[in-house]
């Protein structure tokens, strides 16, 4: 791979594109073309359609990185991901065929960041302020975490029941950042995702929102993906 690939960054639930801002700035400084779009979080199909819309705008090979539920979105690209040459998971779900988020989350105790969820009349899930600032974004500056809470984008509860088809990670090389202080996805679950997708893994002592609290390490993982693809080319 002679030229730098494009980078598309996919946010998860209760977040929005700006959560990647520090990673975007670092990648742009290194010469990458970066996109960090907003996702509707209204259904998995809608979110995958938005990702495909953004991918269609890329000129050349693209690495796609997903955080949290964003991992579900990039995984759902399946075996049809034109132009995508690698997947990067940042404290993200990496489901296998036949699995759903709801079934997976029901296998253990509710993570601290998700204990006080509320569902509104339209069927969207929101996090409480204390769960968000004290657990979801535990290692983020308190002022910044309160801003992030105010900007949270809710997730359609119906998404929890969507069953994964053939995952994209079966046919693409993967990299995975395990957030060892994560209180939204258990770190051992992240290690399991990384192991079964045979990902190159990096462990960081971070809360769930590693791209906010540890942007340098997240950027480094994306650069590791670029370097790994260059060696294989």
């Amino acid at each position: 791979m002679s030229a730098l690939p494009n980078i598309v960054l996919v946010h998860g639930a209760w977040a929005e594109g700006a959560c990647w801002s520090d990673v975007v700035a670092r990648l742009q400084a290194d010469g990458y073309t970066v996109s960090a779009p907003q996702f509707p979080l209204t259904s998995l199909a809608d979110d995958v359609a938005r990702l495909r819309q953004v991918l269609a705008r890329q000129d050349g090979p693209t690495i796609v990185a997903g955080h949290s539920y964003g991992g579900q979105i990039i995984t759902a690209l399946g075996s049809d991901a034109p132009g995508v040459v690698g997947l990067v998971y940042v404290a993200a779900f990496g489901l296998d065929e036949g699995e759903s988020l709801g079934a997976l989350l029901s296998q253990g105790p509710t993570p601290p960041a998700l204990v006080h969820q509320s569902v509104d009349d339209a069927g969207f899930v929101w996090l409480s302020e204390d769960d968000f600032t004290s657990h979801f974004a535990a290692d983020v500056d308190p002022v910044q975490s309160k801003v992030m809470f105010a900007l949270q984008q809710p997730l359609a509860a119906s998404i929890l029941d969507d069953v994964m088809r053939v995952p994209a990670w079966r046919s693409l090389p993967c990299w995975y950042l395990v957030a060892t202080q994560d209180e939204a996805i258990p770190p051992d679950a992240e290690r399991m995702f990384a192991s079964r997708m045979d990902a190159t893994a990096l462990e960081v002592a971070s809360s769930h929102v590693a791209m906010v609290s540890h942007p340098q390490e997240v950027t480094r993982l994306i650069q590791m993906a670029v370097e790994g693809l260059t060696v294989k080319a």
Side-chain angles (χ1 to χ4, degrees):
M1 187 177 298
S2 56
L4 291 176
N6 306 300
I7 310 294
V8 172
L9 305 171
V10 182
H11 70 78
W14 309 297
E16 38 83 52
C19 69
W20 293 102
S21 293
D22 287 346
V23 174
V24 170
R26 284 170 166 79
L27 290 170
Q28 288 179 335
D30 288 337
Y32 291 92
T33 298
V34 188
S35 301
Q38 307 294 342
F39 288 82
L41 308 183
T42 47
S43 73
L44 181 58
D46 290 345
D47 294 327
V48 174
R50 172 59 54 81
L51 178 54
R52 291 191 181 282
Q53 177 188 13
V54 174
L55 289 173
R57 294 174 52 82
Q58 308 305 308
D59 181 15
T62 301
I63 290 174
V64 183
H67 169 251
S68 192
Y69 165 68
Q72 179 85 334
I73 301 172
I74 70 175
T75 300
L77 286 170
S79 58
D80 177 26
V84 178
V85 293
L87 303 174
V88 175
Y89 290 79
V90 179
F93 290 102
L95 270 58
D96 203 348
E97 187 172 6
E99 295 179 343
S100 69
L101 291 174
L104 189 70
L105 290 170
S106 68
Q107 292 178 9
T110 302
L114 309 179
V115 169
H116 301 105
Q117 301 174 63
S118 60
V119 182
D120 63 24
D121 292 342
F124 284 80
V125 184
W126 301 77
L127 297 187
S128 73
E129 182 171 356
D130 183 62
D131 284 358
F132 193 105
T133 58
S134 299
H135 300 289
F136 191 79
D139 59 351
V140 176
D141 174 81
V143 173
Q144 185 178 6
S145 66
K146 289 186 72 172
V147 171
M148 291 171 62
F149 168 74
L151 294 172
Q152 73 168 297
Q153 301 300 303
L155 180 76
S158 60
I159 288 174
L160 298 175
D161 297 323
D162 282 325
V163 175
M164 182 59 63
R165 298 181 180 179
V166 177
W169 52 258
R170 287 201 179 278
S171 54
L172 290 167
C174 301
W175 288 259
Y176 199 109
L177 184 142
V178 175
T180 63
Q181 307 302 313
D182 200 326
E183 295 186 84
I185 302 177
D188 281 345
E190 296 177 8
R191 294 183 181 104
M192 181 272 288
F193 294 142
S195 176
R196 71 180 182 184
M197 64 176 65
D198 195 26
T200 299
L202 175 67
E203 296 209 358
V204 177
S206 171
S207 73
H208 186 56
V209 290
M211 67 288 182
V212 179
S213 60
H214 292 78
Q216 183 172 349
E217 289 88 341
V218 172
T219 303
R220 176 57 187 151
L221 183 65
I222 294 171
Q223 292 170 331
M224 286 170 59
V226 174
E227 292 163 4
L229 291 167
T230 300
V231 169
K232 291 180 180 180

mmCIF file of all heavy atoms in Angstrom, residues 160-176:
data_model
loop_
_atom_site.group_PDB
_atom_site.id
_atom_site.type_symbol
_atom_site.label_atom_id
_atom_site.label_comp_id
_atom_site.label_asym_id
_atom_site.label_seq_id
_atom_site.Cartn_x
_atom_site.Cartn_y
_atom_site.Cartn_z
ATOM 1 N N LEU A 160 -30.948 -3.641 19.973
ATOM 2 C CA LEU A 160 -30.426 -4.696 20.835
ATOM 3 C C LEU A 160 -30.857 -6.079 20.382
ATOM 4 O O LEU A 160 -30.226 -7.084 20.719
ATOM 5 C CB LEU A 160 -30.864 -4.453 22.278
ATOM 6 C CG LEU A 160 -30.370 -3.159 22.928
ATOM 7 C CD1 LEU A 160 -30.969 -3.000 24.307
ATOM 8 C CD2 LEU A 160 -28.846 -3.125 23.004
ATOM 9 N N ASP A 161 -31.948 -6.132 19.608
ATOM 10 C CA ASP A 161 -32.461 -7.428 19.149
ATOM 11 C C ASP A 161 -31.978 -7.816 17.755
ATOM 12 O O ASP A 161 -32.264 -8.925 17.289
ATOM 13 C CB ASP A 161 -33.989 -7.421 19.166
ATOM 14 C CG ASP A 161 -34.553 -7.234 20.567
ATOM 15 O OD1 ASP A 161 -33.951 -7.772 21.515
ATOM 16 O OD2 ASP A 161 -35.579 -6.532 20.715
ATOM 17 N N ASP A 162 -31.270 -6.910 17.074
ATOM 18 C CA ASP A 162 -30.783 -7.222 15.728
ATOM 19 C C ASP A 162 -29.752 -8.341 15.786
ATOM 20 O O ASP A 162 -28.791 -8.275 16.566
ATOM 21 C CB ASP A 162 -30.150 -5.987 15.084
ATOM 22 C CG ASP A 162 -31.190 -5.004 14.565
ATOM 23 O OD1 ASP A 162 -32.241 -5.459 14.083
ATOM 24 O OD2 ASP A 162 -30.945 -3.792 14.650
ATOM 25 N N VAL A 163 -29.938 -9.349 14.973
ATOM 26 C CA VAL A 163 -29.036 -10.504 14.956
ATOM 27 C C VAL A 163 -27.987 -10.319 13.861
ATOM 28 O O VAL A 163 -28.318 -9.989 12.715
ATOM 29 C CB VAL A 163 -29.824 -11.810 14.730
ATOM 30 C CG1 VAL A 163 -28.876 -12.998 14.600
ATOM 31 C CG2 VAL A 163 -30.815 -12.030 15.865
ATOM 32 N N MET A 164 -26.743 -10.525 14.230
ATOM 33 C CA MET A 164 -25.644 -10.339 13.283
ATOM 34 C C MET A 164 -25.654 -11.434 12.222
ATOM 35 O O MET A 164 -25.868 -12.605 12.518
ATOM 36 C CB MET A 164 -24.304 -10.352 14.034
ATOM 37 C CG MET A 164 -23.077 -10.115 13.153
ATOM 38 S SD MET A 164 -23.116 -8.532 12.260
ATOM 39 C CE MET A 164 -23.099 -7.378 13.652
ATOM 40 N N ARG A 165 -25.448 -11.024 10.988
ATOM 41 C CA ARG A 165 -25.230 -11.989 9.913
ATOM 42 C C ARG A 165 -23.730 -12.249 9.813
ATOM 43 O O ARG A 165 -23.008 -12.059 10.774
ATOM 44 C CB ARG A 165 -25.826 -11.442 8.615
ATOM 45 C CG ARG A 165 -27.357 -11.233 8.698
ATOM 46 C CD ARG A 165 -27.926 -10.710 7.408
ATOM 47 N NE ARG A 165 -29.372 -10.528 7.503
ATOM 48 C CZ ARG A 165 -30.124 -10.053 6.512
ATOM 49 N NH1 ARG A 165 -29.562 -9.703 5.351
ATOM 50 N NH2 ARG A 165 -31.436 -9.914 6.682
ATOM 51 N N VAL A 166 -23.246 -12.674 8.669
ATOM 52 C CA VAL A 166 -21.812 -12.972 8.536
ATOM 53 C C VAL A 166 -21.002 -11.706 8.843
ATOM 54 O O VAL A 166 -21.194 -10.678 8.202
ATOM 55 C CB VAL A 166 -21.491 -13.482 7.123
ATOM 56 C CG1 VAL A 166 -19.991 -13.707 6.972
ATOM 57 C CG2 VAL A 166 -22.258 -14.761 6.831
ATOM 58 N N PRO A 167 -20.122 -11.747 9.834
ATOM 59 C CA PRO A 167 -19.395 -10.545 10.241
ATOM 60 C C PRO A 167 -18.259 -10.179 9.288
ATOM 61 O O PRO A 167 -17.590 -11.056 8.730
ATOM 62 C CB PRO A 167 -18.842 -10.923 11.621
ATOM 63 C CG PRO A 167 -18.685 -12.404 11.569
ATOM 64 C CD PRO A 167 -19.812 -12.902 10.698
ATOM 65 N N ALA A 168 -18.048 -8.885 9.143
ATOM 66 C CA ALA A 168 -16.980 -8.396 8.256
ATOM 67 C C ALA A 168 -15.609 -8.856 8.718
ATOM 68 O O ALA A 168 -14.695 -9.012 7.900
ATOM 69 C CB ALA A 168 -17.039 -6.875 8.170
ATOM 70 N N TRP A 169 -15.457 -9.066 10.028
ATOM 71 C CA TRP A 169 -14.122 -9.427 10.518
ATOM 72 C C TRP A 169 -13.681 -10.818 10.065
ATOM 73 O O TRP A 169 -12.499 -11.159 10.190
ATOM 74 C CB TRP A 169 -14.013 -9.295 12.033
ATOM 75 C CG TRP A 169 -15.034 -9.967 12.889
ATOM 76 C CD1 TRP A 169 -16.093 -9.367 13.508
ATOM 77 C CD2 TRP A 169 -15.088 -11.347 13.285
ATOM 78 N NE1 TRP A 169 -16.807 -10.283 14.254
ATOM 79 C CE2 TRP A 169 -16.205 -11.506 14.131
ATOM 80 C CE3 TRP A 169 -14.288 -12.461 13.010
ATOM 81 C CZ2 TRP A 169 -16.557 -12.732 14.700
ATOM 82 C CZ3 TRP A 169 -14.626 -13.682 13.563
ATOM 83 C CH2 TRP A 169 -15.750 -13.813 14.397
ATOM 84 N N ARG A 170 -14.589 -11.600 9.520
ATOM 85 C CA ARG A 170 -14.189 -12.909 8.998
ATOM 86 C C ARG A 170 -13.348 -12.796 7.729
ATOM 87 O O ARG A 170 -12.600 -13.720 7.395
ATOM 88 C CB ARG A 170 -15.424 -13.769 8.722
ATOM 89 C CG ARG A 170 -16.094 -14.280 9.973
ATOM 90 C CD ARG A 170 -16.952 -15.496 9.684
ATOM 91 N NE ARG A 170 -17.577 -16.006 10.892
ATOM 92 C CZ ARG A 170 -16.971 -16.797 11.767
ATOM 93 N NH1 ARG A 170 -15.718 -17.157 11.573
ATOM 94 N NH2 ARG A 170 -17.620 -17.223 12.845
ATOM 95 N N SER A 171 -13.482 -11.685 7.017
ATOM 96 C CA SER A 171 -12.791 -11.565 5.739
ATOM 97 C C SER A 171 -11.818 -10.381 5.671
ATOM 98 O O SER A 171 -11.224 -10.141 4.629
ATOM 99 C CB SER A 171 -13.813 -11.444 4.601
ATOM 100 O OG SER A 171 -14.727 -10.394 4.844
ATOM 101 N N LEU A 172 -11.663 -9.651 6.780
ATOM 102 C CA LEU A 172 -10.771 -8.492 6.787
ATOM 103 C C LEU A 172 -9.837 -8.552 7.989
ATOM 104 O O LEU A 172 -10.225 -9.019 9.062
ATOM 105 C CB LEU A 172 -11.585 -7.190 6.855
ATOM 106 C CG LEU A 172 -12.375 -6.822 5.605
ATOM 107 C CD1 LEU A 172 -13.377 -5.708 5.917
ATOM 108 C CD2 LEU A 172 -11.433 -6.387 4.481
ATOM 109 N N PRO A 173 -8.605 -8.065 7.854
ATOM 110 C CA PRO A 173 -7.692 -8.015 9.004
ATOM 111 C C PRO A 173 -8.197 -7.020 10.038
ATOM 112 O O PRO A 173 -8.802 -5.995 9.686
ATOM 113 C CB PRO A 173 -6.363 -7.571 8.383
ATOM 114 C CG PRO A 173 -6.741 -6.861 7.124
ATOM 115 C CD PRO A 173 -7.982 -7.539 6.617
ATOM 116 N N CYS A 174 -7.949 -7.325 11.310
ATOM 117 C CA CYS A 174 -8.507 -6.522 12.394
ATOM 118 C C CYS A 174 -7.453 -6.137 13.430
ATOM 119 O O CYS A 174 -6.489 -6.861 13.659
ATOM 120 C CB CYS A 174 -9.622 -7.295 13.103
ATOM 121 S SG CYS A 174 -10.998 -7.779 12.060
ATOM 122 N N TRP A 175 -7.725 -5.004 14.073
ATOM 123 C CA TRP A 175 -6.936 -4.522 15.201
ATOM 124 C C TRP A 175 -7.923 -4.162 16.299
ATOM 125 O O TRP A 175 -9.041 -3.717 16.013
ATOM 126 C CB TRP A 175 -6.100 -3.308 14.787
ATOM 127 C CG TRP A 175 -4.964 -3.668 13.880
ATOM 128 C CD1 TRP A 175 -3.647 -3.804 14.231
ATOM 129 C CD2 TRP A 175 -5.027 -3.974 12.473
ATOM 130 N NE1 TRP A 175 -2.900 -4.173 13.146
ATOM 131 C CE2 TRP A 175 -3.721 -4.282 12.043
ATOM 132 C CE3 TRP A 175 -6.063 -4.012 11.535
ATOM 133 C CZ2 TRP A 175 -3.422 -4.628 10.732
ATOM 134 C CZ3 TRP A 175 -5.778 -4.367 10.223
ATOM 135 C CH2 TRP A 175 -4.463 -4.666 9.829
ATOM 136 N N TYR A 176 -7.531 -4.338 17.560
ATOM 137 C CA TYR A 176 -8.480 -4.145 18.653
ATOM 138 C C TYR A 176 -7.809 -3.457 19.838
ATOM 139 O O TYR A 176 -6.748 -3.897 20.306
ATOM 140 C CB TYR A 176 -9.053 -5.497 19.109
ATOM 141 C CG TYR A 176 -10.339 -5.361 19.893
ATOM 142 C CD1 TYR A 176 -11.556 -5.744 19.358
ATOM 143 C CD2 TYR A 176 -10.335 -4.813 21.174
ATOM 144 C CE1 TYR A 176 -12.739 -5.587 20.063
ATOM 145 C CE2 TYR A 176 -11.506 -4.645 21.889
ATOM 146 C CZ TYR A 176 -12.697 -5.042 21.331
ATOM 147 O OH TYR A 176 -13.872 -4.871 22.026
#
